[in-house]
């Protein structure tokens, strides 16, 4: 890197090829914002999401192009390695799914299409920066770039109070999380005298390992990241925000934010702080255990599907955190594999839920999916598969993910946590099966009931736009594709293992 | 060949589900099930009586050392045949009726068959666990969508009980493989032969064994873990219930014999008394409940609990006769209980849709063929001398008598009680006064055609049980060889049958097996 700088005296050398995924995202964000300003209704409602998809597709293409390069770009501030690549693929896939889910939805219409998709791309940019970050400053920049557009996205259904409430709640809680995190970063810098991950790791290994300042810093950093990853007991915002936010945004938050947050958790704990593992490992194990219990128990009594998935995401975060906490290569691989699986199952579920929200007057209540099995098998099966996969039933990717996690835990000697995961899965059956019961074993609420419930009048909404009963092909497409992928990777899981192995190889030097 | 056997039913039903003809689903599912039955019969005819046959071994998940390994041996050969036979006839019976949403119904039915076959044939522990868990899903949906009025509550109980067991087993299986790999220094492997060749030390075996035992006992169901049974049996469609009771319960017993005993011999010996006590409780409790119930389904259900108690006794007698009897009895019980539920269906249709034996009665003379079939099934249930069940129970009690005489004497009581509840069911349903709503009449030709093969099979095993006993002998003895050595009983038998008997001897680690076996002795 130094040599490169010497050869080009005109300025620091920038490896544009390595940065190309980021360029595609930022460029896409700008272009989408501009096109959104056009007057043509067609341009706004159709071209904008299409360009968003193009931008994400190009990003994925660039990642695959750069797959085998390991580059430290921008003076070593960002690392484009296979971990970054994998997480970028995940968040881009999450973004594509979210774009499909919101294509003809309410949220982009109310918040101007260009702004909506531009912010989504901005948030994805933040995620990539966060995962690629190699020093504390970049990490914080990435985190804020991720979070701020999300605060806005949560509030994009401006005529629904719950959406605004969700945005505000997320803003306040998220800001507290960020503040905690930045305080932690400052303390770590104070203790080690470096903002660079490798510098910090070097400093710790030279004998600062039980410095109180450092330990406090690590604790605050952990709390800050736990807020983002909705790990209990820092999860209180999750159900409310998941319920209030527009459903496509919820889906995006569930899968993409989680992937980015766990990507950075892996990076922080396994690259920056491996020498400290005696101190942070018990803490993470306990957090994982709490999340599993709190998430699974909390989900039991919910009547809103989105709240249910919110609590379920807390529980799933606990499972994934267990993979980080064991701090072995196997654990890192299990974490990444589970992130992929988690994306597949959740998008399948959210696709079906969004479709039902537009077809019935029940929103995300259980009534919305009652009798779905008889009415619409192409939505019922993806939803059923997603629920079974989340519960960890064989022949779905969820089983493979859980199997690998338990394998990693037992291999590292944490059988008690493996048993807890199993117990959590048992409890989780109690609520996942309720969804399946509603889909297959209840009949649809009668038409009279739906008339009585009525559609809440949305000020400013045009009647044709608010009309219910529309079936949208792209929702069905997303649900079926991701549901099918859940089953496919449950039967042929080796590609996922290979991907996880590539991604975790980056970390294996540190472990 | 075994892959075709497993996947043929579900493939055929999937084609049926995609064809937009309501009738096609049932007929294609039936075709697939009959095809599987044909393959199973070919397997029986071709099996030599020793070791594995038709081994399929493909790497499934390289990173975890999981293989897609299937094989037939003396233990699962007839259970596979029983599965294909019962499913083919149950699907045929289901075809007589009209179902709402038939295509999904038959798809799930066929998926259940594939999963059960997979569980029986799997020779890799992870694959077994996957199939074991998977087979619950179709039954859960079949019960929940097509069941009786109380079905939703019943599904909840069924799923929670059985899944809790399954998930514990999942954790236990992974722990078993990981610990074995650490213990032996070999790469991670779930192959049953590898796991059996490298037994863990006693402490680890014990807790892992308990988790496995919990899963198997729930599935059977055995006495303290049977809480899900009454509700599920009351609400499940009878055609589904016939295979559920006839086949699924055997997976638990099969698991003990094929997995728990060979892999965890020390723990099996350690917990022998506990399991035997549970089995005795199952016999006594099941029998007692069976002659106090008035719902015909529950009489049959509790009788299953008692019968599976016998099977468990036979397995944990750790004597070759006992285990042989248990395997024979698994098949016999499947052959008896499946037609029993189908007959209850026929009777209920004549009693205004009621399963209660108080609403039945008095149609024996007006339906002589039905009465004859029912009588044969009832006699087989109570293990009348001359029936295959008699041979099975006799062998079980003989084996137990040699090793644990006290248990054997108490278990004899169960045989007596079996005759009480079986005859009570027959008399109340067929004789006595005519029930208030009973529309008497002979059963239809189609019902008779479905039942006749079961009756034929019962008679076949009554006359010629050696058909099975010869083929299962060497494998079954192999499964319990270690326990015999560890309990210090019947060492002579073990020596006579040859130490590396059964499929342990045919694995890649045959030498090690002999070495460890010798060391244990």
């Amino acid at each position: 890197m130094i040599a490169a700088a010497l050869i080009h005296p005109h300025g620091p050398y920038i490896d544009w090829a390595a940065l190309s995924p980021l360029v595609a995202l930022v460029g896409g964000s700008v272009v989408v914002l501009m096109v959104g300003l056009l007057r043509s209704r067609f341009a706004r409602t159709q071209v904008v999401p299409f360009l968003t998809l193009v931008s994400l597709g190009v990003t994925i293409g660039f990642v695959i192009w750069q797959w085998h390069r390991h580059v430290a770009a921008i003076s070593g501030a960002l690392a484009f390695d296979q971990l970054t690549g994998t997480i970028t693929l995940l968040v881009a896939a999450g973004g594509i799914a979210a774009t499909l889910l919101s294509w003809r939805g309410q949220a982009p219409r109310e918040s101007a299409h260009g702004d909506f998709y531009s912010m989504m791309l901005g948030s994805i940019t933040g995620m990539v920066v966060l995962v690629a970050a190699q020093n504390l400053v970049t990490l914080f920049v990435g985190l804020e770039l991720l979070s701020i557009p999300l605060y806005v996205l949560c509030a994009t259904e401006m005529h629904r109070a719950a959406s605004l409430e969700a945005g505000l709640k997320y803003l306040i809680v998220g800001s507290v999380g960020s503040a905690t995190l930045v305080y932690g970063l400052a303390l770590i810098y104070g203790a080690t005298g470096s903002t660079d991950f490798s510098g910090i790791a070097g400093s710790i290994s030279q004998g600062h390992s039980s410095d109180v300042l450092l330990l406090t810093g690590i604790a605050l950093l952990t709390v800050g990241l736990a807020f983002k990853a909705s790990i209990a007991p820092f999860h209180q915002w999750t159900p409310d925000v998941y319920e209030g936010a527009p459903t496509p945004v919820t889906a995006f938050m569930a899968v993409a934010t989680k992937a980015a947050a766990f990507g950075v958790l892996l990076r922080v704990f396994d690259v920056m702080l491996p020498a400290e593992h005696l101190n942070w490992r018990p803490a993470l194990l306990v957090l994982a255990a709490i999340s599993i219990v709190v998430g699974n128990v909390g989900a039991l009594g919910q009547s809103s599907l989105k709240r249910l998935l919110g609590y379920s995401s807390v529980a799933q975060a606990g499972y994934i955190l267990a993979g980080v906490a064991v701090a072995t290569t196997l654990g890192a691989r299990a974490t990444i594999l589970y992130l992929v699986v988690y994306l597949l199952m959740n998008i399948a579920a959210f696709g079906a839920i969004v479709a039902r929200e537009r077809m019935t007057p029940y929103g995300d209540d259980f009534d919305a999916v009652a009798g779905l099995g008889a009415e619409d098998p192409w939505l019922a099966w993806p939803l059923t598969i997603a629920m079974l996969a989340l519960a960890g039933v064989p022949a779905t990717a969820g089983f493979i993910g859980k199997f690998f996690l338990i394998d990693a835990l037992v291999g590292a000697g944490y059988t008690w946590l493996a048993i807890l995961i199993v117990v959590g899965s048992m409890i989780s059956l109690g609520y996942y099966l309720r969804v399946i019961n509603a889909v297959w074993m209840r009949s649809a609420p009668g038409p009279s009931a739906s008339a009585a419930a009525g559609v809440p009048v949305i000020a400013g909404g045009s009647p044709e736009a608010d009309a219910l009963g529309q079936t949208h092909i792209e929702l069905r497409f997303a649900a079926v594709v991701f549901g099918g992928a859940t089953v496919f990777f449950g039967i042929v899981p080796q590609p996922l293992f290979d991907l996880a192995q590539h991604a975790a190889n980056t970390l294996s030097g540190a472990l | 060949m075994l892959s075709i056997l497993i996947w043929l039913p579900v493939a055929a039903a999937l084609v049926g589900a995609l064809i937009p003809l309501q009738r096609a689903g049932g007929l294609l599912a039936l075709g697939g099930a009959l095809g599987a039955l044909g393959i199973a019969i070919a397997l029986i005819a071709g099996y030599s009586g020793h070791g594995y046959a038709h081994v399929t071994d493909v790497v499934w998940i390289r990173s975890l050392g999981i293989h897609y390994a299937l094989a037939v041996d003396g233990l699962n050969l007839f259970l596979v045949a029983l599965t294909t036979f019962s499913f083919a006839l149950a699907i045929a019976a289901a075809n007589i009726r009209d179902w709402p949403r038939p295509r999904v119904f038959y798809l799930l039915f066929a998926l259940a068959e594939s999963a059960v076959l997979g569980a029986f044939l799997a020779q890799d522990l992870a694959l077994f666990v996957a199939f074991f868990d998977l087979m619950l899903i179709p039954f859960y949906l079949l019960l929940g969508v097509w069941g009786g009025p109380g079905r939703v509550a019943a599904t909840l109980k069924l799923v929670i009980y059985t899944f809790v067991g399954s998930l514990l087993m999942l954790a236990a299986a992974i722990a078993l493989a990981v610990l074995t790999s650490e213990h032996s220094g070999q790469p991670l492997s779930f192959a049953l032969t590898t796991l059996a060749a490298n037994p863990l030390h006693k402490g680890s075996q014990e807790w892992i064994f308990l988790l496995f035992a919990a899963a198997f006992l729930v599935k059977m169901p055995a006495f303290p873990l049977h809480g899900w049974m009454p509700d599920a049996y009351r609400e499940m469609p009878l055609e589904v219930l016939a295979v559920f009771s006839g086949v699924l319960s055997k997976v638990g017993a099969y698991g003990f014999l094929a997995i728990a005993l060979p892999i965890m011999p020390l723990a099996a010996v350690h917990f022998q008394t506990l399991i035997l006590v549970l089995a005795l409780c199952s016999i006594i409790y099941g029998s007692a409940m069976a002659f106090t119930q008035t719902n015909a389904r529950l009489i049959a259900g509790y009788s299953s609990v008692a019968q599976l108690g016998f099977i468990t006794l036979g397995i944990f007698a750790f004597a070759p006769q006992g285990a042989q009897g248990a395997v024979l009895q698994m098949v016999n019980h499947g052959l008896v209980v499946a037609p029993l539920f189908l007959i209850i269906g026929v009777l209920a249709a004549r009693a205004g849709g009621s399963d209660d034996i108080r609403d039945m009665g008095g149609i024996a003379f007006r339906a002589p063929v039905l009465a004859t079939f029912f009588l044969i099934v009832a006699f087989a249930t109570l293990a009348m001398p001359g029936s295959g069940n008699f041979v099975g129970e006799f062998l079980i009690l003989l084996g137990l008598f040699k090793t644990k005489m006290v248990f054997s004497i108490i278990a004899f009581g169960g045989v007596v009680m079996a005759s009480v509840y079986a005859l009570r069911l027959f008399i109340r349903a067929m004789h006595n006064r005519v029930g208030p709503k009973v529309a008497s009449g002979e059963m239809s030709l189609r019902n008779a055609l479905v039942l006749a093969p079961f009756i034929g099979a019962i008679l076949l095993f009554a006359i010629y049980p050696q058909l099975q006993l010869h083929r299962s002998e060497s494998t079954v003895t192999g499964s319990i060889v270690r326990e015999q050595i560890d309990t210090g009983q019947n060492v002579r038998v073990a020596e006579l049958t040859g130490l590396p008997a059964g499929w342990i001897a045919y694995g890649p680690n045959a030498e090690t097996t002999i070495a460890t076996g010798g060391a244990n002795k």
Side-chain angles (χ1 to χ4, degrees), chain A residues 5-22:
Chain A
L6 289 175
I7 294 163
H8 297 268
H10 302 297
Y13 170 70
I14 292 175
D15 188 345
W16 290 107
L19 285 177
S20 57
L22 271 184

mmCIF file of all heavy atoms in Angstrom, chain A residues 5-22:
data_model
loop_
_atom_site.group_PDB
_atom_site.id
_atom_site.type_symbol
_atom_site.label_atom_id
_atom_site.label_comp_id
_atom_site.label_asym_id
_atom_site.label_seq_id
_atom_site.Cartn_x
_atom_site.Cartn_y
_atom_site.Cartn_z
ATOM 1 N N ALA A 5 1.361 4.107 -2.947
ATOM 2 C CA ALA A 5 1.240 5.548 -2.749
ATOM 3 C C ALA A 5 2.458 6.277 -3.311
ATOM 4 O O ALA A 5 2.358 7.384 -3.836
ATOM 5 C CB ALA A 5 1.075 5.853 -1.259
ATOM 6 N N LEU A 6 3.625 5.646 -3.187
ATOM 7 C CA LEU A 6 4.827 6.293 -3.692
ATOM 8 C C LEU A 6 4.820 6.367 -5.204
ATOM 9 O O LEU A 6 5.277 7.340 -5.804
ATOM 10 C CB LEU A 6 6.065 5.528 -3.218
ATOM 11 C CG LEU A 6 6.366 5.664 -1.719
ATOM 12 C CD1 LEU A 6 7.530 4.781 -1.339
ATOM 13 C CD2 LEU A 6 6.665 7.115 -1.381
ATOM 14 N N ILE A 7 4.295 5.339 -5.850
ATOM 15 C CA ILE A 7 4.318 5.326 -7.310
ATOM 16 C C ILE A 7 3.381 6.386 -7.869
ATOM 17 O O ILE A 7 3.637 6.990 -8.885
ATOM 18 C CB ILE A 7 3.940 3.928 -7.826
ATOM 19 C CG1 ILE A 7 5.034 2.942 -7.403
ATOM 20 C CG2 ILE A 7 3.816 3.900 -9.345
ATOM 21 C CD1 ILE A 7 4.616 1.505 -7.484
ATOM 22 N N HIS A 8 2.262 6.630 -7.194
ATOM 23 C CA HIS A 8 1.320 7.640 -7.683
ATOM 24 C C HIS A 8 1.424 8.881 -6.813
ATOM 25 O O HIS A 8 0.745 8.985 -5.803
ATOM 26 C CB HIS A 8 -0.121 7.089 -7.615
ATOM 27 C CG HIS A 8 -0.331 5.911 -8.495
ATOM 28 N ND1 HIS A 8 -0.782 6.013 -9.783
ATOM 29 C CD2 HIS A 8 -0.140 4.590 -8.273
ATOM 30 C CE1 HIS A 8 -0.862 4.814 -10.315
ATOM 31 N NE2 HIS A 8 -0.471 3.924 -9.414
ATOM 32 N N PRO A 9 2.266 9.794 -7.193
ATOM 33 C CA PRO A 9 2.457 10.965 -6.329
ATOM 34 C C PRO A 9 1.274 11.919 -6.346
ATOM 35 O O PRO A 9 1.182 12.801 -5.520
ATOM 36 C CB PRO A 9 3.708 11.617 -6.912
ATOM 37 C CG PRO A 9 3.767 11.151 -8.325
ATOM 38 C CD PRO A 9 3.087 9.846 -8.403
ATOM 39 N N HIS A 10 0.344 11.733 -7.276
ATOM 40 C CA HIS A 10 -0.746 12.716 -7.403
ATOM 41 C C HIS A 10 -1.819 12.538 -6.349
ATOM 42 O O HIS A 10 -2.682 13.373 -6.199
ATOM 43 C CB HIS A 10 -1.389 12.605 -8.782
ATOM 44 C CG HIS A 10 -0.386 12.808 -9.874
ATOM 45 N ND1 HIS A 10 0.294 13.995 -10.048
ATOM 46 C CD2 HIS A 10 0.094 11.972 -10.821
ATOM 47 C CE1 HIS A 10 1.140 13.885 -11.075
ATOM 48 N NE2 HIS A 10 1.037 12.656 -11.555
ATOM 49 N N GLY A 11 -1.827 11.433 -5.647
ATOM 50 C CA GLY A 11 -2.859 11.241 -4.627
ATOM 51 C C GLY A 11 -2.842 9.808 -4.193
ATOM 52 O O GLY A 11 -2.130 8.986 -4.779
ATOM 53 N N PRO A 12 -3.579 9.510 -3.162
ATOM 54 C CA PRO A 12 -3.590 8.123 -2.692
ATOM 55 C C PRO A 12 -4.172 7.215 -3.770
ATOM 56 O O PRO A 12 -5.104 7.590 -4.489
ATOM 57 C CB PRO A 12 -4.468 8.165 -1.447
ATOM 58 C CG PRO A 12 -5.282 9.391 -1.603
ATOM 59 C CD PRO A 12 -4.479 10.360 -2.402
ATOM 60 N N TYR A 13 -3.615 6.035 -3.836
ATOM 61 C CA TYR A 13 -4.088 5.079 -4.820
ATOM 62 C C TYR A 13 -5.438 4.525 -4.379
ATOM 63 O O TYR A 13 -5.630 4.138 -3.223
ATOM 64 C CB TYR A 13 -3.073 3.943 -4.949
ATOM 65 C CG TYR A 13 -3.573 2.791 -5.763
ATOM 66 C CD1 TYR A 13 -3.755 2.933 -7.141
ATOM 67 C CD2 TYR A 13 -3.876 1.582 -5.165
ATOM 68 C CE1 TYR A 13 -4.213 1.878 -7.885
ATOM 69 C CE2 TYR A 13 -4.344 0.520 -5.908
ATOM 70 C CZ TYR A 13 -4.514 0.675 -7.274
ATOM 71 O OH TYR A 13 -4.988 -0.373 -8.011
ATOM 72 N N ILE A 14 -6.364 4.519 -5.259
ATOM 73 C CA ILE A 14 -7.692 3.992 -4.922
ATOM 74 C C ILE A 14 -7.992 2.829 -5.834
ATOM 75 O O ILE A 14 -7.925 2.948 -7.066
ATOM 76 C CB ILE A 14 -8.774 5.076 -5.063
ATOM 77 C CG1 ILE A 14 -8.547 6.136 -3.986
ATOM 78 C CG2 ILE A 14 -10.161 4.470 -4.914
ATOM 79 C CD1 ILE A 14 -9.466 7.309 -4.088
ATOM 80 N N ASP A 15 -8.303 1.734 -5.211
ATOM 81 C CA ASP A 15 -8.580 0.526 -5.966
ATOM 82 C C ASP A 15 -10.059 0.507 -6.355
ATOM 83 O O ASP A 15 -10.899 0.025 -5.625
ATOM 84 C CB ASP A 15 -8.233 -0.691 -5.097
ATOM 85 C CG ASP A 15 -8.309 -1.978 -5.885
ATOM 86 O OD1 ASP A 15 -8.892 -1.962 -6.990
ATOM 87 O OD2 ASP A 15 -7.788 -2.981 -5.396
ATOM 88 N N TRP A 16 -10.344 1.102 -7.498
ATOM 89 C CA TRP A 16 -11.752 1.248 -7.881
ATOM 90 C C TRP A 16 -12.423 -0.088 -8.100
ATOM 91 O O TRP A 16 -13.621 -0.244 -7.830
ATOM 92 C CB TRP A 16 -11.876 2.105 -9.141
ATOM 93 C CG TRP A 16 -11.542 3.538 -8.877
ATOM 94 C CD1 TRP A 16 -10.428 4.196 -9.260
ATOM 95 C CD2 TRP A 16 -12.317 4.464 -8.121
ATOM 96 N NE1 TRP A 16 -10.444 5.479 -8.812
ATOM 97 C CE2 TRP A 16 -11.598 5.691 -8.109
ATOM 98 C CE3 TRP A 16 -13.545 4.402 -7.450
ATOM 99 C CZ2 TRP A 16 -12.064 6.816 -7.451
ATOM 100 C CZ3 TRP A 16 -14.007 5.538 -6.809
ATOM 101 C CH2 TRP A 16 -13.272 6.726 -6.813
ATOM 102 N N ALA A 17 -11.660 -1.073 -8.556
ATOM 103 C CA ALA A 17 -12.263 -2.379 -8.787
ATOM 104 C C ALA A 17 -12.804 -2.948 -7.490
ATOM 105 O O ALA A 17 -13.915 -3.480 -7.431
ATOM 106 C CB ALA A 17 -11.228 -3.324 -9.397
ATOM 107 N N ALA A 18 -12.004 -2.806 -6.423
ATOM 108 C CA ALA A 18 -12.467 -3.345 -5.146
ATOM 109 C C ALA A 18 -13.663 -2.564 -4.632
ATOM 110 O O ALA A 18 -14.574 -3.118 -4.022
ATOM 111 C CB ALA A 18 -11.340 -3.305 -4.127
ATOM 112 N N LEU A 19 -13.646 -1.257 -4.901
ATOM 113 C CA LEU A 19 -14.738 -0.422 -4.396
ATOM 114 C C LEU A 19 -15.999 -0.521 -5.249
ATOM 115 O O LEU A 19 -17.022 0.058 -4.898
ATOM 116 C CB LEU A 19 -14.286 1.036 -4.350
ATOM 117 C CG LEU A 19 -13.323 1.421 -3.231
ATOM 118 C CD1 LEU A 19 -12.929 2.880 -3.375
ATOM 119 C CD2 LEU A 19 -13.963 1.192 -1.882
ATOM 120 N N SER A 20 -15.908 -1.222 -6.379
ATOM 121 C CA SER A 20 -17.008 -1.170 -7.338
ATOM 122 C C SER A 20 -18.385 -1.508 -6.742
ATOM 123 O O SER A 20 -19.367 -0.840 -7.107
ATOM 124 C CB SER A 20 -16.700 -2.079 -8.526
ATOM 125 O OG SER A 20 -16.470 -3.391 -8.079
ATOM 126 N N PRO A 21 -18.513 -2.470 -5.828
ATOM 127 C CA PRO A 21 -19.854 -2.678 -5.274
ATOM 128 C C PRO A 21 -20.396 -1.433 -4.579
ATOM 129 O O PRO A 21 -21.573 -1.072 -4.733
ATOM 130 C CB PRO A 21 -19.645 -3.822 -4.272
ATOM 131 C CG PRO A 21 -18.413 -4.505 -4.695
ATOM 132 C CD PRO A 21 -17.549 -3.456 -5.299
ATOM 133 N N LEU A 22 -19.519 -0.756 -3.822
ATOM 134 C CA LEU A 22 -19.964 0.468 -3.141
ATOM 135 C C LEU A 22 -20.348 1.538 -4.145
ATOM 136 O O LEU A 22 -21.347 2.244 -3.970
ATOM 137 C CB LEU A 22 -18.842 0.998 -2.263
ATOM 138 C CG LEU A 22 -18.768 0.470 -0.834
ATOM 139 C CD1 LEU A 22 -17.664 1.185 -0.092
ATOM 140 C CD2 LEU A 22 -20.101 0.709 -0.142
#
